Amino acid sequence: GSELSLCSVIVDDLRSPAEKHILFNDGLFFDFSIINPELTYTLPLKHLAAGVTDGISHALEAYVGSDHEEMIFEGYYESIMNTLLKYGPQAMSNPTDYTIRSKISHATMIANHHNFCTEGVQQDWTCHDIERYITTAYHGVHGITLGILMPAFMKYVFSRNPRPFVNFSVRCLGVNPEGKNNAAIVKEGADNFERWLNKMHLPVKFTDIGLTYPQLISCIPENLTAGMLYQLKGDEIKELLSLCV
C-alpha cells in the first residue's frame, strides 16, 4: 500500500534500542505506479500473511476511531477487512492464484489510501503507536506484531466505544449477536480473529515469538500516549500488553 500512502518510516539503528520515526508529507505520494499481482507470487508466505494482517490493521485502526456512525467510511473499511479475511487464507494455500492475489493487492492498496472516504473522519491508531516500539526494539515484523496486538486491543478498549467493535465482530468476524451482550460479542470476535491468525500461520501471543512481558514494557516510553481517540497511557498500555502474553 505504500504507493497510495503519504507516510514514510525512518529507522535510526545507530541508537540502542533502535528508534522508528514517521514522516507524513504529500510529496511522498507516487506520481505513477503499476500494481502487478504476479510480482507478489514469490513473496515468502510469512510476509504474505504479515502484509494481509497489516492491511486489516490499517482498516481497523481507522474504523474504530469514530464514536458515531459514518456509513460511507465504515462500509469502505468493512469491505476491505472482509476481503482480506476471506482471501488471506486462500492465498496461503494458493499463492500463485492471480484472482486471489489481485484481490489482496487491491484491498491492501486502498487500506492505505487517504481519499474522500476517509478524510475528515476521526481515526485512532493505538496499536500502531505501541507496535513501532516493540517491532523496532526486537527486529520484528510489523504485521506480525500488529496481529498479536489487535485482539487484545479489541477486548481492552471496546467498553469505551462499543459500537465499532461490536460491528466489526458481527459484520466481519462472523459473530451472531443474538442473546449476547457487547462484552460477549467482542470477546467472541477477538477469539475468531485469533483463529484467523492461526489459519495464516501467525502467532497470537508475544510468547509465541519469544518475547516476555518485561521485555515488552521495557521498550515502551513512559510518556507514550497511544491512540488519537483511546489515548492509552502508562499502566493502561501495560495492562493491554499483559493480554498479549
Side-chain angles (χ1 to χ4, degrees):
S2 61
E3 64 282 340
L4 284 177
S5 175
L6 49 65
C7 176
S8 181
V9 174
I10 300 170
V11 177
D12 182 356
D13 56 8
L14 296 179
R15 296 179 179 270
S16 183
E19 294 183 1
K20 182 187 290 187
H21 303 279
I22 302 174
L23 173 66
F24 294 92
N25 191 284
D26 287 341
L28 296 174
F29 280 119
F30 281 47
D31 292 326
F32 181 80
S33 62
I34 297 174
I35 310 303
N36 182 357
E38 293 179 334
L39 298 179
T40 69
Y41 289 174
T42 56
L43 188 70
L45 291 181
K46 172 183 176 180
H47 293 286
L48 165 64
V52 171
T53 305
D54 185 26
I56 293 172
S57 77
H58 276 254
L60 183 63
E61 297 251 60
Y63 182 83
V64 300
S66 179
D67 57 5
H68 58 277
E69 183 178 57
E70 293 283 356
M71 290 184 67
I72 294 175
F73 174 85
E74 290 170 357
Y76 175 82
Y77 280 118
E78 285 168 8
S79 67
I80 292 170
M81 292 186 287
N82 278 321
T83 297
L84 294 173
L85 288 165
K86 176 179 178 178
Y87 289 104
Q90 293 184 31
M92 296 293 286
S93 301
N94 301 284
T96 59
D97 185 299
Y98 183 87
T99 299
I100 293 172
R101 296 304 282 256
S102 65
K103 292 182 185 299
I104 289 175
S105 295
H106 189 194
T108 52
M109 178 177 64
I110 63 176
N112 285 286
H113 191 194
H114 299 264
N115 60 24
F116 291 120
C117 288
T118 63
E119 295 302 327
V121 181
Q122 180 170 265
Q123 302 182 19
D124 182 59
W125 303 98
T126 293
C127 292
H128 274 74
D129 285 344
I130 297 171
E131 170 277 330
R132 63 191 182 105
Y133 294 100
I134 298 170
T135 301
T136 305
Y138 298 110
H139 307 285
V141 178
H142 177 70
I144 291 177
T145 305
L146 288 167
I148 295 170
L149 285 168
M150 283 187 284
F153 168 69
M154 290 173 62
K155 289 183 282 188
Y156 186 71
V157 305
F158 88 90
S159 61
R160 306 182 188 194
N161 185 26
R163 188 189 56 80
F165 293 97
V166 170
N167 287 345
F168 175 54
S169 297
V170 172
R171 298 174 185 175
C172 300
L173 294 170
V175 177
N176 180 353
E178 186 175 353
K180 300 169 187 171
N181 60 26
N182 289 342
I185 292 169
V186 175
K187 182 183 183 303
E188 185 176 341
D191 291 344
N192 287 351
F193 199 164
E194 289 188 343
R195 279 189 278 273
W196 180 87
L197 291 169
N198 285 328
K199 290 182 182 179
M200 299 296 287
H201 305 290
L202 291 174
V204 297
K205 301 293 182 184
F206 283 114
T207 47
D208 295 336
I209 56 174
L211 293 180
T212 65
Y213 177 70
Q215 286 178 302
L216 297 174
I217 61 173
S218 69
C219 66
I220 304 297
E222 292 184 2
N223 62 347
L224 175 65
T225 298
M228 290 184 278
L229 176 64
Y230 302 104
Q231 297 189 349
L232 303 187
K233 300 178 182 180
D235 288 342
E236 294 173 321
I237 295 175
K238 292 177 181 179
E239 290 171 5
L240 171 57
L241 289 174
S242 73
L243 301 177
C244 299
V245 294

